[in-house]
Amino acid sequence: QVQLVESGGGLVQAGGSLRLSCAVSGLQGYLMGWFRQTPGQEREFVAAMTWSGSNTRYADSVQGRFTISRDNAKNTVYLQMNNLKPEDTAVYYCTAGRNIGSYYYLREEYDYWGQGTQVTVSS
């Protein structure tokens, strides 16, 4: 069974850091991504990575602050978040999809989603 389970969210002061983890089971060779969502807003793209980790993409709002990576041996995808801002407050979702080309930033392209983990950044 395919499962994506996020962890690592919490409350952090502006300027601080968090590392989110996504435990992956039941799939191989997928494009991996992170999206985030605040109440009343559309789920928005944060970062994406090819299965091998050789190609990564980031939303402009997090470029230079966030890093997506993976540990193949542990079947875990990470989102390292540095220099956090109050605007980063959201529920963060891990996602995976197949046959994704140029539209990695669209949530409709992904096939599986985790349940999300809350990140709150205080000002």
Side-chain angles (χ1 to χ4, degrees):
Q1 297 295 114
V2 174
Q3 284 192 320
L4 304 174
V5 181
E6 303 97 332
S7 62
L11 175 64
V12 64
Q13 190 174 0
S17 298
L18 285 173
R19 188 182 73 167
L20 306 183
S21 298
C22 175
V24 180
S25 62
L27 58 83
Q28 294 285 333
Y30 281 60
L31 188 76
M32 304 300 302
W34 290 92
F35 283 67
R36 66 188 183 187
Q37 188 170 24
T38 57
Q41 300 296 119
E42 297 292 324
R43 193 168 298 185
E44 68 174 0
F45 170 74
V46 175
M49 177 187 68
T50 53
W51 186 257
S52 67
S54 62
N55 193 7
T56 59
R57 294 288 185 270
Y58 299 93
D60 290 343
S61 59
V62 306
Q63 181 72 46
R65 299 188 297 121
F66 290 11
T67 303
I68 186 171
S69 64
R70 72 173 300 122
D71 185 331
N72 290 338
K74 296 182 178 180
N75 295 317
T76 301
V77 177
Y78 302 99
L79 184 68
Q80 178 66 46
M81 305 184 295
N82 297 327
N83 191 25
L84 283 161
K85 305 176 180 180
E87 307 93 274
D88 297 318
T89 295
V91 176
Y92 283 72
Y93 297 90
C94 180
T95 187
R98 290 191 295 174
N99 300 315
I100 297 174
S102 300
Y103 301 102
Y104 56 86
Y105 52 88
L106 296 178
R107 64 185 185 276
E108 294 84 1
E109 296 297 305
Y110 292 85
D111 301 307
Y112 302 101
W113 296 87
Q115 294 302 303
T117 185
Q118 177 71 49
V119 172
T120 303
V121 183
S122 62
S123 60

